[in-house]
Amino acid sequence: MRLDRVLYVDLSRRSFHVENRPDLFEEYLGGVGVAIRLLAEECPPNTDPLGPDNPIIFSVGPLTGLFPMASKTIAMFKSPLTGNLGESHAGGRTASAIRMAGYGAIVIRGSSETPVYLAIHGDKVYFRDASGLWGVENSYTVGRVIRELEKGAGFRTIMRIGSAGEKMVSYASVVVETYRHFGRLGLGAVFGSKKLKAIVISGKYSIKIRDVGYYRNVYDEIFNLAVKSLLMKKYHDIGTSSNVLPLNELKALPSFNLKETSLENAENISGENLAQKYLGRRIACSHCPVACIHLATLREPYEDEPYFYKTTMIPYDYEPLYALGSMLGVTDPVEWLKLMDEVEIQGLDAISTGVTLAWATEAYERGIITSNETLGIELKWGDSNSYREAIRKIVHQPNEFYSALARGVEYAASKYGGLDFALSFGGNEMPGYHTGPAAYLTFSTGSRHSHLDSAGYSIDEEDAKTGVNRTPKEIAEILFREESWRQILSSLVLCFFARGIYTPEIVVKTLRVIGLDTTEESLRKTGVEILKNKYLFKIREGFKPDLLRIPRRILEKESPLGILNESFIREGIMEFFKMLQ
Amino acid sequence: MVKRLTVLDTEKCVGCQLCMFACSRRFGEGGFAKSAIHVKSIGGVERGFAVVVCRACPSPPCMKVCITDALTLRKGGGVILNSSKCIGCGRCVEACPFGAIFWDDEANKPNICVHCGYCVNYCHYGVIKLKE
């Protein structure tokens, strides 16, 4: 089945049609390259992110279904959190399901008056009534119900929102296959604004290859690198949570809203400890032999009923361990798991939730807010019960204060004060790396304001080891080159964890298998162009690099590369944007 | 002795579906259209996975219901499909108690495991194996 088929679904009219868009897929491969063009086409300037005109775009790539780890789906939309470019990637079975259903991209327009969920089975699209599912508190339950209602077990993805999405919390997530997420930038709220509770997609179309022998050879080369080399070992063994201890050791683990850079008892919430005491199952995204998804088993007794236990499987990764663990001072692994579970049940982004609560805790400590605002909840480092209660209030927004928290830390701090210690960049709550200037340059310049945009933290970590001093310009150049290349990886929807395997040389080979003759140079050029397209959208929507807010807090706390200097970071930002012109 | 594909331990299955992709790749295809092995969660991925393969019955129910004799007994159990005889009626699918006969919607013919073991090469977790 051709990749360039785009499914357009209109929720207002309950109609759909398919268009072939070779213009987009030939020039931009798939994934982000295609999605940003579709977003620019579909999203009128200054659209309300929670209005019917905000489109949702999903896209996959030419390697999906053919090669291991081409398993991400790109979602693009206007973000209700930042009011600008919304881009989020999820794995699970999303990518293979969309491709096998016969599509390279799906565009969702309009808004439904009553709750619906979409069932896309190959060529057929059904608008199912979701009135009964609307208001179901627990996002797990929604998945369970739809699993029974719809066909395609093993060939399908089920994307759904929890209460947070329904209530349009700006950083609500979309949960897929129970433990993966379109986590960042609030896709869940956009679903909620459209009364779209879930989307199930299934299909089993084939993808034909001409040179079968060559295909199998390239496949085996990649497969062997994935399972036999050391490239994926970190993700395979302990998983991303193996970052906790080294970052703590380096004093780069933001803790207590970055009042500290390391944590006593960090080993309690380390990947090593979780693996030893709680790891219950490992699972994988479709077409990935690495199985980096780690699920902890939490066994809790019922207090009122002897010999009754509740056993829950809860996912863990580095970023949630930082945001809901070190940032909030929650170092008891059981308490952390319970907090994580609440975030999953409500369908929230873990990073934004943790960073927002960390600000609120410090604001409470300083008396900027009081129990009048918190409705009697005493926000206290390490007190996971209070945090769980606060999370439910953020979702249901019983007063102005919780409504403000539901719009993210930047909004809340603008309203109540305390911007100096509100840790967000470009409106997005920051990830867990106080490693040095390059990390913060990534958060500032990255088109998603995510650590994954250009991985500045890894430059810092290297420089901390080698003692190399770089100028802002040098850092900006590395980040620009890296983010541009990552546009190619995410246009091919390759998991960034596999970036060590999918070198330019290997990427060129995989593209030859599908009949696309190209070179590293040409791909890198396309990567730059895609990045520019993303920034065209961002600037159209009001992004101003010179007005980027740098929270004072990050300049006060020593990093592994010393105290950070604001003018150094500002210079790096300007150097980066010069390259975009 | 003729070998057959067997499932050793589904608890080790991570649900990556590389076996399913491998099965279709035998025909030089991407995707699952031609796959004769299936992995699905057993009521949510947290509970683990079912790995559905042909168990090479010595007296295969699928063969017994085939009205065109397109399925003949394979040495060592299971069946061999003669595609040119198959009319795509789908009775074999219904007859298999394990649900181990899959359907190629594009060809409108069943996908039947030939116990070649190609998928085994891509199972990194030792879930499946060719056994005598």
Side-chain angles (χ1 to χ4, degrees):
Chain A
M1 183 55 83
R2 316 165 47 141
L3 178 72
D4 60 14
R5 295 174 82 240
V6 178
L7 172 68
Y8 291 85
V9 179
D10 189 324
L11 290 173
S12 302
R13 294 179 184 168
R14 309 231 159 146
S15 67
F16 67 95
H17 71 279
V18 176
E19 278 177 42
N20 288 340
R21 295 297 304 269
D23 55 320
L24 296 181
F25 283 86
E26 276 164 23
E27 202 170 346
Y28 297 109
L29 302 164
V32 284
V34 166
I36 186 61
R37 291 300 305 271
L38 285 169
L39 183 70
E41 280 175 18
E42 296 289 327
C43 182
N46 304 314
T47 297
D48 172 6
L50 299 176
D53 288 338
N54 189 14
I56 298 169
I57 320 278
F58 292 110
S59 60
V60 298
L63 306 183
T64 302
L66 285 170
F67 287 101
M69 295 168 287
S71 47
K72 292 279 184 178
T73 296
I74 307 301
M76 277 209 194
F77 49 96
K78 188 168 170 181
S79 164
L81 181 64
T82 64
N84 210 305
L85 176 66
E87 177 189 333
S88 192
H89 307 178
R93 290 183 186 154
T94 54
S96 57
I98 291 172
R99 180 96 203 254
M100 298 317 145
Y103 307 108
I106 298 175
V107 174
I108 296 169
R109 298 165 166 160
S111 170
S112 178
E113 270 176 33
T114 54
V116 287
Y117 79 86
L118 279 176
I120 301 171
H121 296 298
D123 297 332
K124 302 216 163 55
V125 177
Y126 303 91
F127 298 83
R128 312 260 206 231
D129 176 48
S131 312
L133 286 170
W134 203 258
V136 170
E137 275 279 327
N138 188 326
S139 74
Y140 290 102
T141 312
V142 178
R144 209 168 286 170
V145 171
I146 294 178
R147 268 204 296 276
E148 298 297 319
L149 287 173
E150 297 291 335
K151 64 173 188 176
F155 300 114
R156 69 186 174 194
T157 181
I158 303 175
M159 308 174 177
R160 65 268 196 182
I161 57 169
S163 300
E166 287 184 17
K167 305 280 183 193
M168 294 182 269
V169 175
S170 298
Y171 42 92
S173 70
V174 172
V175 181
V176 305
E177 281 65 272
T178 318
Y179 298 108
R180 297 291 90 187
H181 317 83
F182 292 104
R184 308 233 65 197
L185 297 171
L187 181 61
V190 181
F191 267 52
S193 74
K194 296 183 180 310
K195 290 265 193 317
L196 179 59
K197 185 66 185 173
I199 308 178
V200 47
I201 305 167
S202 80
K204 35 187 232 177
Y205 279 114
S206 62
I207 307 161
K208 311 276 189 233
I209 292 299
R210 272 209 199 113
D211 188 345
V212 175
Y214 183 62
Y215 171 36
R216 291 203 191 117
N217 285 342
V218 177
Y219 190 100
D220 288 349
E221 186 179 351
I222 292 166
F223 176 74
N224 286 328
L225 283 171
V227 298
K228 291 182 189 151
S229 74
L230 293 176
L231 288 166
M232 304 304 290
K233 193 173 162 46
K234 165 182 164 185
Y235 304 109
H236 176 80
D237 290 352
I238 291 174
T240 58
S241 58
S242 62
N243 283 342
V244 172
L245 289 180
L247 283 168
N248 190 56
E249 184 78 9
L250 206 58
K251 296 204 181 311
L253 177 70
S255 306
F256 307 100
N257 201 37
L258 196 53
K259 291 202 294 183
E260 307 291 337
T261 55
S262 66
L263 195 63
E264 225 181 297
N265 304 328
E267 62 279 2
N268 287 351
I269 53 164
S270 68
E272 289 78 357
N273 189 48
L274 288 165
Q276 202 185 358
K277 298 200 181 124
Y278 301 97
L279 179 57
R281 191 176 284 284
R282 296 262 307 277
I283 53 178
C285 295
S286 183
H287 220 161
C288 176
V290 177
C292 78
I293 308 165
H294 289 59
L295 303 181
T297 307
L298 177 64
R299 181 172 175 260
E300 295 169 281
Y302 281 91
E303 275 163 22
D304 50 352
E305 192 83 49
Y307 305 111
F308 265 84
Y309 291 88
K310 179 170 119 176
T311 305
T312 320
M313 302 295 268
I314 300 162
Y316 62 90
D317 263 303
Y318 171 66
E319 296 297 337
L321 284 164
Y322 138 76
L324 303 170
S326 66
M327 275 294 261
L328 298 178
V330 175
T331 53
D332 180 327
V334 169
E335 292 307 309
W336 181 86
L337 287 170
K338 290 199 294 204
L339 194 53
M340 182 70 223
D341 196 37
E342 190 67 50
V343 165
E344 289 283 82
I345 285 169
Q346 302 294 341
L348 286 160
D349 176 54
I351 302 180
S352 290
T353 305
V355 172
T356 301
L357 284 173
W359 169 85
T361 309
E362 189 170 343
Y364 189 81
E365 212 172 48
R366 288 167 176 246
I368 295 174
I369 53 166
T370 66
S371 63
N372 283 337
E373 280 80 27
T374 65
L375 298 175
I377 297 176
E378 212 178 309
L379 295 170
K380 210 167 65 196
W381 307 115
D383 182 355
S384 76
N385 280 332
S386 300
Y387 287 133
R388 278 192 291 161
E389 219 182 307
I391 284 170
R392 291 190 283 267
K393 291 214 172 358
I394 287 174
V395 171
H396 293 283
Q397 303 163 46
N399 69 359
E400 231 176 87
F401 173 67
Y402 285 105
S403 295
L405 289 187
R407 296 181 66 174
V409 78
E410 185 123 352
Y411 181 87
S414 306
K415 194 171 162 124
Y416 290 90
L419 266 171
D420 284 351
F421 55 91
L423 294 168
S424 65
F425 290 81
N428 191 15
E429 285 73 17
M430 84 168 217
Y433 302 88
H434 186 64
T435 49
Y440 288 110
L441 274 170
T442 284
F443 305 162
S444 304
T445 61
S447 46
R448 297 183 282 159
H449 305 286
S450 153
H451 59 296
L452 290 169
D453 284 326
S454 53
Y457 59 89
S458 65
I459 302 173
D460 293 330
E461 284 165 354
E462 199 185 308
D463 292 354
K465 263 187 229 149
T466 57
V468 169
N469 284 315
R470 292 181 215 255
T471 65
K473 187 167 186 230
E474 283 164 353
I475 296 174
E477 278 168 0
I478 301 171
L479 296 180
F480 187 82
R481 188 176 157 84
E482 182 65 24
E483 188 167 2
S484 302
W485 174 247
R486 288 186 180 210
Q487 303 314 305
I488 294 301
L489 295 178
S490 52
S491 293
L492 300 171
V493 301
L494 293 162
C495 178
F496 285 167
F497 294 171
R499 62 188 179 271
I501 292 175
Y502 281 92
T503 57
E505 190 199 341
I506 294 268
V507 167
V508 167
K509 279 190 194 176
T510 58
L511 291 174
R512 198 174 302 143
V513 168
I514 57 163
L516 192 69
D517 260 315
T518 185
T519 59
E520 174 178 351
E521 196 195 342
S522 155
L523 287 171
R524 285 196 183 273
K525 242 170 87 183
T526 306
V528 171
E529 200 184 327
I530 295 169
L531 187 57
K532 285 183 175 174
N533 284 341
K534 279 162 70 167
Y535 264 98
L536 276 178
F537 182 88
K538 280 178 79 92
I539 285 164
R540 189 193 88 179
E541 293 301 314
F543 179 76
K544 293 194 175 62
D546 42 335
L547 295 184
L548 263 171
R549 187 177 72 85
I550 296 171
R552 191 123 305 274
R553 173 60 48 81
I554 72 158
L555 308 169
E556 294 164 354
K557 288 289 146 190
E558 181 140 10
S559 81
L561 294 171
I563 286 279
L564 304 179
N565 181 321
E566 179 166 354
S567 61
F568 187 101
I569 296 174
R570 294 237 175 255
E571 198 184 325
I573 294 172
M574 286 307 139
E575 289 295 342
F576 187 94
F577 284 99
K578 264 191 228 162
M579 284 180 272
L580 267 176
Q581 270 141 31
Chain B
M1 188 64 187
V2 185
K3 293 186 172 175
R4 72 177 178 100
L5 182 65
T6 47
V7 179
L8 296 181
D9 185 359
T10 54
E11 282 301 312
K12 284 171 86 182
C13 179
V14 297
C16 71
Q17 303 185 318
L18 257 76
C19 53
M20 294 166 65
F21 285 106
C23 193
S24 274
R25 203 164 56 255
R26 289 182 307 137
F27 301 94
E29 281 187 4
F32 306 127
K34 295 241 175 333
S35 300
I37 180 169
H38 191 57
V39 175
K40 60 182 176 184
S41 79
I42 46 174
V45 291
E46 66 272 32
R47 292 169 201 277
F49 299 92
V51 182
V52 186
V53 302
C54 168
R55 72 176 303 272
C57 307
S59 173
C62 54
M63 186 179 78
K64 292 174 200 162
V65 299
C66 179
I67 52 172
T68 61
D69 293 329
L71 296 174
T72 49
L73 190 65
R74 172 185 169 272
K75 208 174 152 191
V79 289
I80 293 166
L81 170 70
N82 180 344
S83 212
S84 59
K85 282 189 178 176
C86 173
I87 56 167
C89 69
R91 286 177 184 220
C92 52
V93 174
E94 283 165 34
C96 177
F98 301 97
I101 295 184
F102 305 95
W103 203 252
D104 180 347
D105 292 326
E106 292 171 342
N108 200 33
K109 300 269 166 93
N111 295 331
I112 289 180
C113 178
V114 295
H115 298 271
C116 70
Y118 188 66
C119 53
V120 174
N121 303 327
Y122 298 93
C123 180
H124 186 51
Y125 297 90
V127 176
I128 44 178
K129 200 184 169 190
L130 269 191
K131 258 181 147 176
E132 290 191 355

